[in-house]
Every structure is written in structure tokens, then in C-alpha cells.
Amino acid sequence: MSNQLDRLDRLLQRLDEWMPKQLTEDDWKSSVAFRWRRKDTLFGKLGYLQAVKHTSNISFGDLQHIDRQKDQIYSNTKHFVEGKPANNVLLTGARGTGKSSLIKASLNEFATQGLRLVEVDKEHRSEEHTSELQSLAYLVCRLLLEK
């Protein structure tokens, strides 16, 4: 019996190597940004969160010539982290117009108040990936409830 349990344990360890790594408690505590990733496994493609260890240190003060957009994003995000009514935000525009910088500045401004960022690649935002994104939404809701 012991030999069979040892073999089963070795098999499970080998299978575990094919699975996405779980975030550790330290990852959750030390990270403010995450990426939604997909990994090919024996069980198909599985989605998982990966902690971003190094984030940009850009601030709202660094952003020039986009004052109206800066003020709107700042105000809306402030309402969101305070639990007040806030709108979803869709940033559009040509490359280099400050969309990503606005998000990074928001994260730096409000991370101490609980704001977190999850980046989802374009190819994961299709109908084909709807169930994965629903899993991500469920995970985010659980994180908010545990707060």
C-alpha cells in the first residue's frame, strides 16, 4: 500500500509541473498589478493570474497636456476606491496619447487605498475566452469580498 501511495504522490507531483503556478500569499500582499495568462496543460488551456513584480512609477504630475482626461480618470478612480458611484472607463486613441500612462498613474495614486490592476491581453478578450474571463471576474469578486 505504501508503495502505491508513493507512486501516486510522484505522479501527482509530475502533473503539478504542468499546471499554472498558484499565487502565494506573499504575491497577493506584495503585488498591486497582475496579468491574466493562459497555459497549455494536459487538461487544455487554463487561465491564471501572474503577479507583476515591477510596475511603472509614473504619477499624474508626470503627465502633460492631457489635463481634462487626467482629471476625469482621477476623479472617477477616487470615487471607485471610496465605494462611491463610478463609471467604467474605456480609453481610446492613437498610440502614444497617454492611455497606458493614465492607468499606471491611477494605480500608483490609489494602490495604497486598495486599487489593483489586472491586465488582459487582446487575444483573451474574444467570445472564445468568455468562460475564462467569467472565472477572472469571479476571482476578482471573491478578492473584493475578502477585503
Side-chain angles (χ1 to χ4, degrees):
M1 180 73 159
S2 175
N3 186 31
Q4 290 174 330
L5 290 175
D6 289 341
R7 288 178 63 197
L8 181 59
D9 189 49
R10 285 194 305 272
L11 174 64
L12 289 174
Q13 287 176 0
R14 291 180 73 191
L15 286 174
D16 194 44
E17 293 172 14
W18 287 87
M19 301 300 286
K21 297 292 181 225
Q22 294 283 329
L23 290 175
T24 65
E25 189 172 332
D26 186 50
D27 289 330
W28 287 115
K29 288 180 180 177
S30 65
S31 299
V32 295
F34 304 88
R35 286 190 181 95
W36 182 250
R37 298 286 198 204
R38 293 177 66 220
K39 181 176 182 169
D40 289 322
T41 70
L42 295 172
F43 309 104
K45 291 184 186 278
L46 295 179
Y48 65 100
L49 284 176
Q50 177 187 51
V52 175
K53 297 295 182 187
H54 305 285
T55 59
S56 172
N57 61 357
I58 195 166
S59 71
F60 281 109
D62 297 330
L63 303 176
Q64 304 296 312
H65 310 295
I66 55 171
D67 294 334
R68 185 176 56 82
Q69 295 90 333
K70 209 171 28 172
D71 292 344
Q72 287 177 328
I73 292 287
Y74 181 91
S75 176
N76 191 63
T77 307
K78 186 173 189 285
H79 285 164
F80 176 73
V81 298
E82 291 174 348
K84 296 177 180 174
N87 294 308
N88 293 324
V89 176
L90 174 63
L91 300 177
T92 62
R95 290 177 61 149
T97 56
K99 299 177 300 291
S100 295
S101 295
L102 279 166
I103 299 304
K104 292 171 185 175
S106 294
L107 182 63
N108 287 326
E109 181 74 26
F110 296 105
T112 58
Q113 296 173 32
L115 185 67
R116 297 298 179 262
L117 175 78
V118 177
E119 177 185 43
V120 179
D121 289 336
K122 288 179 193 175
E123 62 266 14
H124 298 162
R125 290 182 252 157
S126 66
E127 270 190 47
E128 174 186 347
H129 304 290
T130 300
S131 65
E132 274 186 42
L133 293 178
Q134 287 172 341
S135 298
L136 174 59
Y138 173 76
L139 176 62
V140 170
C141 287
R142 289 213 33 212
L143 291 172
L144 292 172
L145 291 174
E146 291 174 6
K147 213 170 124 177

